[in-house]
Amino acid sequence: MLAFDSKSKIVILGLKEALMRGLIDGDGVFNVSGVDNFIKEVKLEECGLSYAVVSIMGPQSSGKSTLLNNLFGTNFREMDAFRGRSQTTKGIWIARCAGIEPCTVVMDLEGTDGRERGEDDTAFEKQSALFALAVSDIVLINMWCHDIGREQAANKPLLKTVFQTPLENLEPVLREDIQKIWDSVPKPQAHKETPLSDFFNVEVVALSSYEEKEEQFKEQVCSQSALHIGEIQCHLILLNRWFVYNLRQRFFQSVAPGGLAGDRRGVVPANAFAFSAKQMWQVIKDNKDLDLPAHKVMVATVRCEEIANEKFSSFIANENWRELEDAVQSGPVSGFGKKLSSILQSCLSEYDTEATYFEESVRSSKRQQLQEKLLQLVQPTFQDVLGHLRSGALENFKHAFEKALDAGEGFSSSANTCAQSCISKFVKGCEEAVIEQAKWDTSKIQEKLERDIEAHISSVRTAKLSELTTLYESKLNVALSGPVEALLDGASDETWPAIRKLLRREGELAVYGLSNALSGFDMDDETRNKMCSDLEKYAQGIVETKAKEEAGRALMRMKDRFATIFSHDSDSMPRVWTGKEDIRAITKMARSASLKLLSVMAVIRLNDELDNIEKTLTLALFNSTSNNTTSKSISTIDSLASSTWEQVAPEKTLITPVQCKSLWRQFKNETEYTVTQAISAQEANRRNNNWLPPPWAILALVVLGFNEFMTLLRNPLWLLVLFVGYLISKALWVQLNISGEFRNGALPGLLSLSTKFLPTVMNLLKKLAEEGQAPPTNSNQSMNSSAQSEVTTNGESSSSSSSSGSSPVKTVPIDTSA
């Protein structure tokens, strides 16, 4: 606004003087503390965007302060007319207009063209002019009407400085002379031909001379209107004191639509005015181009970031948030998403309220950054909530799944039903936990839950299948182990066919049961068939293992078989070797049965394949001694000099031919004593049953002993001697236990008797001597005792003789090769 006023001092009565502070001193130092105090005292920061900034510029002592004081009720220092023209205002001062709404702040700039600054020192003038244009919504340019058309007095150099700032930030221009300035100002290439009217509206307002028409001037000042400057459209109003009235009224509601500053854009919020002004002055002081939009962005960036930081700190200290965070640490929180969304929304709303008047793009950007920081802060807690939901859902699934299986439901149907139910509840829980401001994707945690459930199902499936397999394997062990062992122990031609029949029957039963149990597992045919096949192989393995165990005990089984048959008759009664038994035939029969057992245990016969193992063993081991042809015997024995059987796979071999030959040799050696004992018992029995000598011996005794017999008849004393000799011999026989000593053989008996004979004789003589020295009264008793002793001795001898059998006999050798 170009205002023309006289130098006369005017005081408008009835206006309240406003608070005034120095904004920038004469040396160009920005008064930070003074501006902050001013804003607090006038409560400017509460105005938001509903405030206006008016500044005035013009020549020194042109009446700028007087005009402002009369127009706005301020108290700027005015020039004393009696002291002559001099610098009244130094630097830039700021005050609040009295009685004007919305809140209007006016800046009084130091006058231009003053002698105090010197001829060439116009730097501060240009800087202050640029500062006024950048900060103000309305700029008043005051000049004398008779100075229009002049170069310096009309402020043309100052206006050149104004228009040489960046085009996109400064738009005001004057008409007429200002058009020439516009044409001469360097412009961007894109706007070299752009007319002034595309950027500036010039309005000329006139006021009466204060010196000549003071009352008219006051009336015009109180009611005249003016136009404004905005971000893109700046109105420099020319005040012609002779033509326009009621200027003051035009400043009421100046920021409303249609007002002086009604079309302003990108205005700085009131709470950032001090910061914006300071930064703007610093830019100008540093001789940088004034970029108004960039400056507003910078101001918005700083202030919005400060607000965002404050709200972030406030959120961290928020009690509701802290309680919610602590609650999540111990478990899931019902309604977590709504609670946290409400806290976040409250924080963001507070930001929106405080940053609502700043540049929109910056405000939105900082809001987004604040939201991202808040979400980044709460995301770990959100993840904890999801973790609780996942672990809870997994545990619920495990419990429900186990309960369903215990109730007898099918495995696959139970798994699918429980999994779908738990995942559905988890998804619902995630929806309740999701924050409105984030809309985080919970699919990954759901996928992890699904993997965990699948892993648990797989684990339980494996365990259940293992249990089923173990169950049927145990049944097979019970059904096969004992019977196979009994069949192998009975070793006959029907042993392996019976084993095969048993294996087939029990295997089919087990496979049938397993197949039915697997029907609830919803598995493919290939897997089911493989499990059944494995069970069949396991059953076969049981038989083979048991056969190997029995083969390892083949020698013991052969000896048991031999002992059973050799020592028992056909009625399973123990044999008594009376001398009538055919030991050779019995031995051959028992050994044949043992050989049969060996041939049965030699190989595994789970297939119907025939072999000649029994024939080979019979020819090589059993019938070899009955052949008189030496070459033939050697050839049959050599047939066992091999580690494999003909027509039998090596893996089916339990006892190799060489091992069979070795076992048979060991078997014969260990059963030889049993046969010998039987023969000895039979011979002893025969002798005990035939104690008389042969008839020819009796006849020889009669013929050869006739003379001795006649001698005994002629001399009876010899009978007494023979009787005494008989008694002594009988006593020695009993005392020495001769029959018992010779039972173990002649040589051992002789050696034993040789050591016992002399002590026994001496003992008998001692007893006889003691009896001879006994008192006569006891003679009858002694004789009775002697007789009784003899009777007892004879009884014992007889009993001993009866129990011990006959005296040792010579063993008759027989053929035991069979």
Side-chain angles (χ1 to χ4, degrees):
M1 177 182 294
L2 299 181
F4 305 92
D5 193 6
S6 66
K7 297 185 295 181
S8 301
K9 181 177 180 180
I10 299 177
V11 178
I12 301 179
L13 300 178
L15 295 180
K16 181 180 179 181
E17 294 184 358
L19 181 67
M20 180 178 64
R21 286 284 187 277
L23 182 63
I24 301 173
D25 62 16
D27 297 326
V29 178
F30 194 89
N31 185 9
V32 177
S33 59
V35 175
D36 290 339
N37 291 334
F38 170 79
I39 291 176
K40 291 180 181 179
E41 291 175 1
V42 301
K43 298 181 180 180
L44 179 63
E45 57 186 5
E46 299 177 2
C47 297
L49 297 181
S50 182
Y51 77 101
V53 179
V54 180
S55 61
I56 189 169
M57 63 177 67
Q60 178 178 302
S61 301
S62 61
K64 299 185 300 298
S65 299
T66 302
L67 177 61
L68 294 178
N69 291 338
N70 284 272
L71 184 61
F72 299 115
T74 56
N75 192 25
F76 293 113
R77 182 183 176 188
E78 299 178 4
M79 183 191 74
D80 187 354
F82 295 99
R83 298 178 60 182
R85 187 183 299 272
S86 62
Q87 187 179 47
T88 305
T89 302
K90 295 183 178 180
I92 301 175
W93 290 73
I94 187 170
R96 176 175 179 174
C97 300
I100 296 180
E101 294 295 336
C103 178
T104 302
V105 176
V106 62
M107 293 191 302
D108 188 10
L109 275 65
E110 178 180 320
T112 61
D113 198 17
R115 63 182 179 83
E116 286 80 5
R117 293 281 181 183
E119 291 184 17
D120 300 323
D121 188 7
T122 60
F124 186 82
E125 296 177 4
K126 298 176 180 179
Q127 291 171 354
S128 59
L130 293 177
F131 176 77
L133 287 171
V135 173
S136 304
D137 297 304
I138 304 170
V139 177
L140 303 176
I141 300 177
N142 187 44
M143 65 178 63
W144 291 91
C145 60
H146 51 72
D147 288 332
I148 296 175
R150 298 179 180 177
E151 184 68 20
Q152 295 294 334
N155 291 306
K156 286 186 178 180
L158 176 61
L159 293 177
K160 286 184 179 181
T161 301
V162 171
F163 296 131
Q164 284 175 348
T165 58
L167 177 63
E168 61 273 25
N169 304 305
L170 296 179
E171 295 80 10
V173 71
L174 300 174
R175 293 182 182 158
E176 298 179 356
D177 290 343
I178 296 177
Q179 183 64 49
K180 298 179 182 178
I181 300 175
W182 173 258
D183 294 338
S184 64
V185 169
K187 295 178 287 293
Q189 185 67 31
H191 296 282
K192 280 195 172 183
E193 303 300 328
T194 303
L196 174 65
S197 59
D198 288 354
F199 294 97
F200 298 99
N201 293 326
V202 178
E203 183 177 345
V204 178
V205 178
L207 291 176
S208 301
S209 171
Y210 177 78
E211 295 177 349
E212 298 176 1
K213 301 179 180 179
E214 179 178 352
E215 295 299 328
Q216 188 177 356
F217 172 81
K218 292 179 181 180
E219 181 182 356
Q220 292 171 348
V221 166
C222 293
S223 60
Q224 191 52 270
S225 61
L227 211 54
H228 72 282
I229 176 173
E231 180 180 353
I232 297 178
Q233 194 171 25
C234 181
H235 304 271
L236 299 181
I237 302 175
L238 305 178
L239 300 182
N240 189 319
R241 63 178 70 228
W242 303 109
F243 304 106
V244 184
Y245 302 93
N246 301 325
L247 177 60
R248 176 181 173 81
Q249 296 300 321
R250 300 193 61 183
F251 287 93
F252 282 89
Q253 303 301 327
S254 59
V255 297
L260 289 176
D263 58 349
R264 62 179 181 171
R265 291 185 293 273
V267 63
V268 176
N271 57 2
F273 173 77
F275 176 80
S276 174
K278 180 177 179 298
Q279 294 297 319
M280 187 65 70
W281 178 249
Q282 188 62 43
V283 171
I284 295 172
K285 283 275 292 181
D286 293 341
N287 293 324
K288 295 179 180 178
D289 290 340
L290 180 61
D291 187 346
L292 208 60
H295 172 74
K296 292 179 180 179
V297 169
M298 180 269 296
V299 173
T301 300
V302 174
R303 282 296 299 138
C304 289
E305 187 168 353
E306 290 177 354
I307 297 171
N309 290 337
E310 291 175 1
K311 298 311 168 187
F312 183 77
S313 300
S314 176
F315 179 86
I316 294 177
N318 187 285
E319 286 297 327
N320 294 332
W321 156 243
R322 296 173 69 89
E323 291 176 0
L324 188 61
E325 185 181 25
D326 293 339
V328 169
Q329 299 303 317
S330 57
V333 177
S334 178
F336 172 83
K338 290 183 178 180
K339 292 178 181 179
L340 184 55
S341 297
S342 176
I343 299 172
L344 289 172
Q345 186 58 41
S346 176
C347 179
L348 294 174
S349 297
E350 291 177 3
Y351 168 85
D352 292 338
T353 300
E354 296 188 25
T356 185
Y357 301 117
F358 290 100
E359 203 276 331
E360 182 178 0
S361 62
V362 176
R363 181 178 72 245
S364 300
S365 175
K366 293 301 177 181
R367 188 186 193 277
Q368 183 65 27
Q369 292 178 11
L370 172 60
Q371 180 171 308
E372 290 176 357
K373 286 180 64 178
L374 292 173
L375 294 179
Q376 186 177 5
L377 175 66
V378 303
Q379 188 175 27
T381 305
F382 174 74
Q383 293 297 331
D384 290 341
V385 173
L386 295 186
H388 291 313
L389 291 174
R390 182 186 64 81
S391 59
L394 183 59
E395 290 301 320
N396 291 337
F397 167 78
K398 290 179 180 179
H399 178 72
F401 188 36
E402 182 179 2
K403 186 176 180 181
L405 293 178
D406 292 341
E409 297 182 16
F411 183 89
S412 297
S413 60
S414 299
N416 293 333
T417 302
C418 295
Q420 291 177 1
S421 175
C422 290
I423 291 176
S424 177
K425 292 180 180 178
F426 172 78
V427 171
K428 184 177 180 181
C430 289
E431 291 175 354
E432 294 178 355
V434 168
I435 303 169
E436 296 179 2
Q437 292 80 3
K439 302 296 183 184
W440 281 318
D441 184 16
T442 60
S443 59
K444 291 185 178 180
I445 195 73
Q446 180 178 340
E447 291 174 0
K448 189 176 188 308
L449 173 61
E450 293 173 352
R451 290 195 300 270
D452 292 341
I453 291 177
E454 185 60 33
H456 180 71
I457 293 174
S458 178
S459 175
V460 175
R461 179 190 288 112
T462 302
K464 292 295 182 181
L465 293 178
S466 178
E467 290 177 4
L468 285 175
T469 303
T470 302
L471 174 63
Y472 285 97
E473 287 177 353
S474 300
K475 292 182 177 180
L476 285 174
N477 273 314
V478 174
L480 294 176
S481 295
V484 168
E485 182 177 350
L487 289 171
L488 290 174
D489 186 44
S492 65
D493 292 335
E494 297 301 321
T495 296
W496 282 107
I499 291 176
R500 289 195 294 270
K501 183 178 179 181
L502 174 68
L503 175 61
R504 188 181 305 110
R505 182 182 71 250
E506 297 299 333
E508 288 176 354
L509 287 175
V511 168
Y512 179 77
L514 178 63
S515 181
N516 286 339
L518 294 177
S519 60
F521 284 84
D522 193 22
M523 60 175 57
D524 56 278
D525 293 339
E526 182 180 357
T527 304
R528 181 185 294 105
N529 294 336
K530 184 179 183 304
M531 291 187 66
C532 293
S533 176
D534 290 343
L535 188 62
E536 292 177 347
K537 292 179 181 178
Y538 181 80
Q540 182 175 336
I542 293 175
V543 175
E544 293 178 352
T545 301
K546 182 55 66 175
K548 290 178 182 178
E549 292 177 0
E550 294 301 313
R553 296 193 288 265
L555 179 60
M556 182 184 69
R557 295 293 189 188
M558 290 169 65
K559 291 191 295 183
D560 291 343
R561 173 68 63 86
F562 178 85
T564 300
I565 297 176
F566 186 81
S567 302
H568 296 78
D569 58 18
S570 58
D571 296 328
S572 299
M573 296 298 293
R575 292 184 188 274
V576 178
W577 303 105
T578 63
K580 298 178 181 180
E581 294 82 12
D582 187 356
I583 293 180
R584 183 186 299 274
I586 294 173
T587 301
K588 184 176 182 179
M589 181 178 62
R591 287 181 176 175
S592 176
S594 299
L595 186 66
K596 180 69 175 179
L597 187 146
L598 180 62
S599 66
V600 170
M601 290 187 175
V603 296
I604 297 173
R605 299 177 177 89
L606 294 180
N607 298 322
D608 293 334
E609 298 176 356
L610 300 177
D611 57 67
N612 57 357
I613 294 176
E614 183 178 1
K615 181 179 179 181
T616 301
L617 290 176
T618 301
L619 291 175
L621 302 176
F622 196 73
N623 296 332
S624 60
T625 57
S626 64
N627 296 326
N628 296 326
T629 306
T630 306
S631 60
K632 185 176 181 180
S633 176
I634 294 174
S635 63
T636 55
I637 294 176
D638 289 342
S639 64
L640 298 181
S642 175
S643 60
T644 57
W645 298 101
E646 293 182 2
Q647 302 176 346
V648 178
E651 61 271 12
K652 300 297 182 181
T653 301
L654 299 177
I655 306 174
T656 64
V658 173
Q659 292 172 338
C660 287
K661 183 177 180 181
S662 176
L663 285 173
W664 185 255
R665 184 183 298 111
Q666 187 176 355
F667 165 75
K668 286 180 63 177
N669 291 336
E670 294 184 9
T671 58
E672 190 73 29
Y673 178 74
T674 304
V675 177
T676 303
Q677 286 293 96
I679 295 173
S680 299
Q682 194 178 56
E683 289 295 330
N685 199 338
R686 286 176 182 174
R687 289 172 181 171
N688 289 334
N689 293 334
N690 189 17
W691 56 273
L692 292 175
W696 61 268
I698 297 174
L699 181 61
L701 287 175
V702 172
V703 173
L704 295 176
F706 180 77
N707 293 332
E708 288 77 6
F709 180 72
M710 291 306 294
T711 301
L712 290 175
L713 291 177
R714 292 189 187 100
N715 190 0
L717 184 61
W718 285 103
L719 293 174
L720 180 61
V721 173
L722 289 176
F723 180 72
V724 173
Y726 169 75
L727 293 178
I728 294 173
S729 299
K730 185 65 175 178
L732 289 175
W733 182 274
V734 174
Q735 291 293 328
L736 294 175
N737 191 19
I738 294 175
S739 61
E741 296 295 339
F742 279 94
R743 188 178 292 118
N744 295 326
L747 182 59
L750 291 174
L751 293 175
S752 178
L753 291 175
S754 64
T755 59
K756 296 167 59 178
F757 179 75
L758 184 59
T760 302
V761 172
M762 295 300 295
N763 189 27
L764 288 175
L765 293 176
K766 183 178 179 181
K767 287 182 178 182
L768 289 174
E770 290 176 353
E771 291 177 356
Q773 295 176 359
T777 57
N778 295 334
S779 60
N780 293 333
Q781 184 177 358
S782 298
M783 290 180 65
N784 293 335
S785 298
S786 177
Q788 186 176 1
S789 175
E790 183 178 353
V791 173
T792 303
T793 303
N794 291 337
E796 290 178 357
S797 175
S798 176
S799 176
S800 175
S801 175
S802 176
S803 64
S804 62
S806 62
S807 60
V809 296
K810 183 179 179 181
T811 303
V812 179
I814 64 173
D815 181 15
T816 61
S817 62

